[in-house]
Amino acid sequence: MTTRILPAVGDIDAARSVTTLLSQLPDAEPATPVGDSTQLIDTLARLAGEALDELPEVVLVHERIGPVPALELIREVSLRFPSVGVVLITADASPNLFANAMDSGARGLATLPLSYEELANRVQAAAQWSAGVRRHLTSGNDVFTGPGGTVVTVTGAKGGVGATVTAIQLALAAQASGNTVALVDMDLQTGDIASFLDVQFRRSLVDLALITDISPRVLSDAVFSHSTGLALLLAPGEGERGEEVSDRSARQIVSALRTRYEIVVIDCGGQMNGANAAAVEMADVALLVTTPDVVAVRGAKRVVRMWERLQIRKAEETITLVNRFTRNTEIQPPLIQKITGTRVASAAVPANFKELQASIDSGRLHELDAKSTVKQALWGLAGELGIVKESATGKKSGGALVRRNSGAFKNDRGSIGRPRRRRDGSGHRPGDSEGTR
């Protein structure tokens, strides 16, 4: 049986050495090494999206891989791709590291400098384990076998640009189309999702921060089941407790959520910390919300450049949403796209805060009128991002879900689609001057 091996080695010399040894192993099919943790996860997700059998049997993780530390990367691979055997390559063969590697999900440890015999034994053992797991996975339909649900992060260029309203409406749109959806408030100090949805809660993200093995039962105890069907994981009521959620905790929480829900929407707020930076790095879709004014656009550019410096996200992998848009503003979406280097969403949210004010003040944002142009724009954005399902009465067209029947979605009638246009071709009413907060 041929063993497919994917090395994850950042150092060029080490990658060359590993590749040379792998090419000598019998029945081995080594792939081209990937250079960082992001590339490894993206490659595995792409292969898993095609079919479980497309995944390599063995992944080799070098101790100096980055930007995610090797042990955290092993844990994420083990959670998201449980049929892949992971072997850690390291110069430290201490019992403590061995125990930590096993706790993270590694199936073996190969010490540097690599020897042919040791590498062959570790790869063979991991490949046999992988084959056994795959036989088990294909024997039943109740075991999770895919790459996980879609994670969407929503980040504000600065405070007050509408990230929270955007995250809530995206989650509602995804849930209304038939997805199982988790909405996470990772604005750890100033999170307001609970206020927007009139929720009284006891548990929060902090309750999961110190748990090393988040089981489905532990996760279900921490989430709040909202009347809309959304599963809410909220920020702590005491903002100072947000410091208890580390980047490692955030990775574990996001990984656990994506194995239980089809869509995970995370509100990252307007301030970056280790936890929401980890979420942005793990996200399938990273949405950056800005308004068409100089201060906000500068903030958007600053966020994008920071993500690039920290190797969290590339500018071209980020989608920017323009909120509170009017046709006569000086800063138009094409200019924002040029300044930030990101792709600007085709759906711009019109400036019409009057539609939102009553729902926000009453904490009933989920009951926003379906005729609201703001809601229609955000639900259209959900279609553009690909987080709504096709239905028997609707189809995706140009990235958005076009409604053919007003009863297509169970929780809201006629909410997905484009705003009605006036005869003058505008998507907003005269006198509109404000948008989502």
Side-chain angles (χ1 to χ4, degrees):
M1 182 187 73
T2 301
T3 301
R4 292 164 297 181
I5 307 169
L6 177 59
V9 186
D11 182 75
I12 297 177
D13 294 333
R16 187 181 299 112
S17 173
V18 169
T19 303
T20 301
L21 279 176
L22 290 177
S23 65
Q24 300 173 12
L25 298 181
D27 300 323
E29 186 181 304
T32 302
V34 295
D36 57 52
S37 57
T38 302
Q39 190 178 355
L40 173 63
I41 294 299
D42 289 346
T43 301
L44 293 175
R46 175 178 55 80
L47 294 172
E50 296 173 3
L52 175 64
D53 291 338
E54 295 297 320
L55 285 168
E57 284 76 21
V58 180
V59 168
L60 302 178
V61 176
H62 193 272
E63 62 180 352
R64 294 169 62 186
I65 195 71
V68 178
L71 292 182
E72 293 186 20
L73 178 60
I74 291 172
R75 183 182 297 275
E76 184 174 349
V77 171
S78 300
L79 285 170
R80 293 184 58 180
F81 313 99
S83 65
V84 175
V86 186
V87 175
L88 174 64
I89 301 175
T90 177
D92 180 8
S94 65
N96 185 50
L97 178 64
F98 182 84
N100 290 336
M102 296 304 106
D103 289 342
S104 298
R107 306 309 309 171
L109 187 148
T111 56
L112 293 169
L114 290 174
S115 67
Y116 172 85
E117 184 176 352
E118 182 183 21
L119 184 61
N121 290 337
R122 298 293 177 266
V123 168
Q124 183 180 13
Q128 291 176 349
W129 176 88
S130 174
V133 171
R134 294 183 193 206
R135 284 195 298 270
H136 171 70
L137 291 179
T138 55
S139 65
N141 296 324
D142 294 333
V143 183
F144 174 75
T145 62
T150 300
V151 176
V152 180
T153 55
V154 183
T155 306
K158 65 180 189 65
V161 295
T164 300
V165 171
T166 299
I168 292 173
Q169 290 299 326
L170 289 179
L172 289 171
Q175 192 277 333
S177 72
N179 288 300
T180 56
V181 181
L183 176 59
V184 185
D185 196 344
M186 211 168 275
D187 186 0
L188 296 174
Q189 293 185 346
T190 58
D192 281 326
I193 286 180
S195 298
F196 278 91
L197 298 179
D198 192 23
V199 170
Q200 302 294 324
F201 66 100
R202 292 185 300 110
R203 300 197 180 277
S204 69
L205 275 162
V206 174
D207 294 294
L208 298 176
L210 300 179
I211 299 176
T212 56
D213 185 13
I214 303 176
S215 66
R217 181 170 183 177
V218 169
L219 186 62
S220 64
D221 287 342
V223 301
F224 179 90
S225 297
H226 194 259
S227 59
T228 58
L230 295 177
L232 305 180
L233 187 55
L234 301 167
E238 302 82 15
E240 65 275 12
R241 297 200 63 193
E243 297 179 358
E244 299 176 32
V245 184
S246 65
D247 56 343
R248 180 175 181 177
S249 300
R251 293 182 191 281
Q252 294 177 4
I253 292 169
V254 174
S255 295
L257 286 167
R258 79 190 313 162
T259 64
R260 303 292 297 176
Y261 299 94
E262 294 172 282
I263 304 294
V264 180
V265 180
I266 304 176
D267 177 12
C268 293
Q271 295 183 350
M272 294 303 299
N273 53 52
N276 54 31
V280 171
E281 183 182 2
M282 295 177 67
D284 300 288
V285 179
L287 187 68
L288 180 61
V289 182
T290 186
T291 49
D293 58 84
V294 172
V295 175
V297 173
R298 283 179 176 171
K301 181 179 179 180
R302 183 168 58 245
V303 170
V304 171
R305 298 295 176 265
M306 178 175 64
W307 286 354
E308 288 188 324
R309 288 195 304 273
L310 298 178
Q311 298 183 4
I312 294 172
R313 198 112 192 154
K314 296 179 181 178
E316 57 269 24
E317 297 173 350
T318 303
I319 301 174
T320 298
L321 173 67
V322 181
N323 186 27
R324 301 176 195 160
F325 175 72
T326 58
R327 296 183 65 183
N328 58 359
T329 184
E330 288 189 29
I331 302 178
Q332 293 290 314
L335 179 58
I336 295 175
Q337 179 167 301
K338 182 177 180 181
I339 292 173
T340 61
T342 63
R343 178 171 72 84
V344 172
S346 60
V349 182
N352 200 345
F353 179 67
K354 291 181 180 179
E355 296 178 351
L356 300 174
Q357 187 165 9
S359 298
I360 290 177
D361 290 345
S362 63
R364 311 290 292 179
L365 188 60
H366 52 289
E367 296 180 356
L368 183 63
D369 191 342
K371 296 180 180 179
S372 164
T373 57
V374 172
K375 180 173 182 175
Q376 289 177 0
L378 290 173
W379 283 45
L381 173 66
E384 182 179 341
L385 299 180
I387 61 174
V388 294
K389 287 183 176 180
E390 295 183 15
S391 68
T393 55
K395 68 176 183 178
K396 287 184 180 179
S397 174
L401 189 65
V402 180
R403 182 177 58 87
R404 290 186 180 178
N405 187 310
S406 61
F409 299 93
K410 56 187 179 183
N411 286 349
D412 220 301
R413 301 173 66 88
S415 295
I416 293 186
R418 297 183 179 276
R420 293 183 179 179
R421 294 191 174 274
R422 298 171 58 96
R423 292 181 180 179
D424 62 0
S426 66
H428 59 281
R429 300 175 183 174
D432 290 347
S433 59
E434 298 178 277
T436 61
R437 284 185 178 177

